[in-house]
Amino acid sequence: LPFFMSLQLPLRVTPEVQQLADALAALPSGSKVLASYDYDPPSAPELQPMSDAFVKYAFKNDLKLLIMGLWPQGPQQAQQSIDAALTDPEIAALNLEYGKDYVILGFQSGNEFVIQRMGTAFRGMFPKDIRNTNYDEIPLLRGVENFSNIDFVMNFSSGKPGTVEWVQIAVDRFGVPVG
């Protein structure tokens, strides 16, 4: 049947999606965005397309990405989105550099306690990135001490720890916007 007719369905943007899109669009070039990947491969069919779109948007709009995961396989999911984005000719032409335009801090166990500790010291939770580079040697991390140095947090979550913990701690305690 699809070969013989086309079906045009209306696409409605929910207020929540529009609010997130507006928040990202309001970030100026060079803004530092912490992206937390709190999911694993079984949740990828739902979350990976959103991650792919977000990473491409961030790179095209000169948002600086600090990537982490509260789930062990989260940083690998992020790497897949980065790899996909870097194949886009428009993004490849930007000559993005690891450590200057984006960094993957890695996975840290501890659930909501990781978020709480990051409220006072990112370095305390992530003394080295996934490439084993010291925190202080990564140009993108210079001046990033805690959430007060982050412009936005983007969370991709499929359970606990995840969005609830980010809202309870990062938003409620430290006042950082989370999407």
Side-chain angles (χ1 to χ4, degrees):
L1 195 58
F3 290 115
F4 303 111
M5 57 187 285
S6 69
L7 182 62
Q8 299 294 327
L9 297 175
L11 178 63
R12 291 185 180 88
V13 178
T14 64
E16 296 83 5
V17 170
Q18 189 62 57
Q19 185 178 13
L20 176 60
D22 293 344
L24 290 172
L27 294 171
S29 175
S31 292
K32 291 182 178 173
V33 176
L34 176 69
S36 187
Y37 282 74
D38 306 330
Y39 68 97
D40 54 13
S43 300
E46 177 184 357
L47 295 170
Q48 202 68 37
M50 288 185 273
S51 170
D52 291 350
F54 166 74
V55 170
K56 284 183 179 184
Y57 178 88
F59 286 162
K60 287 179 180 181
N61 289 278
D62 192 34
L63 302 179
K64 307 303 181 186
L65 295 181
L66 291 74
I67 296 168
M68 59 165 286
L70 295 175
W71 287 38
Q73 294 165 321
Q76 289 82 8
Q77 299 301 131
Q79 186 66 60
Q80 289 178 19
S81 291
I82 291 168
D83 292 343
L86 294 175
T87 64
D88 181 313
E90 184 181 347
I91 293 172
L94 298 173
N95 295 314
L96 300 173
E97 292 183 52
Y98 182 88
K100 291 183 181 177
D101 298 297
Y102 66 98
V103 63
I104 302 177
L105 298 170
F107 159 73
Q108 185 58 262
S109 64
N111 299 340
E112 59 268 25
F113 300 107
V114 174
I115 304 168
Q116 185 172 331
R117 174 82 167 133
M118 290 173 71
T120 56
F122 277 35
R123 183 184 294 104
M125 292 313 308
F126 297 99
K128 297 180 183 230
D129 72 353
I130 61 164
R131 295 183 179 182
N132 209 30
T133 305
N134 289 326
Y135 189 96
D136 293 325
E137 296 173 12
I138 301 169
L140 180 55
L141 299 178
R142 289 191 188 119
V144 176
E145 296 297 323
N146 53 46
F147 287 127
S148 66
N149 309 116
I150 296 296
D151 300 299
F152 194 81
V153 173
M154 186 70 178
N155 179 240
F156 299 98
S157 171
S158 66
K160 180 174 173 49
T163 305
V164 169
E165 291 74 23
W166 279 103
V167 170
Q168 289 175 338
I169 299 168
V171 175
D172 292 348
R173 292 186 191 172
F174 297 104
V176 66
V178 173

